Amino acid sequence: MTVARPQGQAPGFHRLVLGDFVVTALLDGTVSGVDQKLTGIDRARVELLLAEACVPRPTETSINTFLIHTGSHRVLVDTGAGALMGPRAGRLLSNLRAAGHAPEDIDTVLLTHIHTDHSGGLSAGGARVFPNAVVRVDRLEADFWLNPAQAERAGAEQKKRFQWARDAVGPYQAAGRFEPFEGD
């Protein structure tokens, strides 16, 4: 099946044709201060490099997801932060709709990993945001973030990230729509 060639662009999404697929980059929003989370680097060096690059302070980083339309499948790679990272994030659904797709159109969600800015948009209020999707993620990620023993060993700040991971993935697990994979 051939995918219809996209027409036009809009703020919040950008399409490109890659072979027979249409890949749409979707903006979920932005988060500031990411450079403050860098570890193992000299802070003065970071400040110097940012100033030399004329990067405004505080730094702002985009949270993006990607929709791959193959003609027969709509695969969403990551789901953004949802409501978990402040008021400048959580725009995935409006940008998905602006690009001509509905959450119900998504049949697969592929999580690159289960950090908040990649999986926070999976669920809202305990419900699946993408009701027809199967969520796929590497088994090692699932075994780490969804393991209560791992969460128990985590520090106080990390414990909430484990809870967010369980909250995001839980509705898909309960519906039998969570399928970790192994291998490359």
Side-chain angles (χ1 to χ4, degrees):
M1 174 182 283
T2 303
V3 177
R5 297 294 183 210
Q7 301 297 314
Q9 302 291 349
F13 71 90
H14 179 80
R15 291 187 179 110
L16 92 110
V17 176
L18 186 62
D20 290 334
F21 295 174
V22 175
V23 179
T24 305
L26 297 156
L27 177 67
D28 181 58
T30 62
V31 63
S32 68
V34 173
D35 61 296
Q36 298 301 312
K37 298 179 192 276
L38 297 175
T39 60
I41 188 168
D42 177 29
R43 295 292 329 147
R45 177 95 173 118
V46 170
E47 295 299 328
L48 177 66
L49 291 170
L50 290 171
E52 287 176 354
C54 299
V55 174
R57 309 293 282 144
T59 57
E60 192 93 9
T61 300
S62 294
I63 303 168
N64 296 303
T65 70
F66 298 90
L67 175 63
I68 303 168
H69 188 204
T70 69
S72 57
H73 294 284
R74 288 185 182 97
V75 179
L76 185 63
V77 179
D78 291 334
T79 64
L84 298 177
M85 294 187 81
R88 290 189 308 257
R91 298 180 188 150
L92 171 61
L93 294 181
S94 62
N95 288 327
L96 180 70
R97 288 184 181 101
H101 303 280
E104 297 79 15
D105 296 340
I106 308 303
D107 54 63
T108 305
V109 172
L110 175 62
L111 296 177
T112 57
H113 56 289
I114 309 180
H115 284 173
T116 305
D117 57 329
H118 294 258
S119 66
L122 262 179
S123 301
R128 292 175 289 144
V129 170
F130 306 98
N132 299 318
V134 172
V135 175
R136 308 294 312 271
V137 66
D138 188 280
R139 179 159 308 282
L140 295 173
E141 275 289 305
D143 289 350
F144 179 80
W145 287 106
L146 305 177
N147 182 333
Q150 284 290 84
E152 189 58 37
R153 286 191 292 270
E157 182 65 25
Q158 278 293 87
K159 282 189 189 306
K160 69 181 176 185
R161 288 180 174 78
F162 281 90
Q163 184 61 53
W164 289 339
R166 287 191 304 275
D167 291 347
V169 171
Y172 295 87
Q173 288 175 306
R177 303 195 65 79
F178 181 71
E179 298 178 7
F181 60 85
E182 295 183 47
D184 296 337

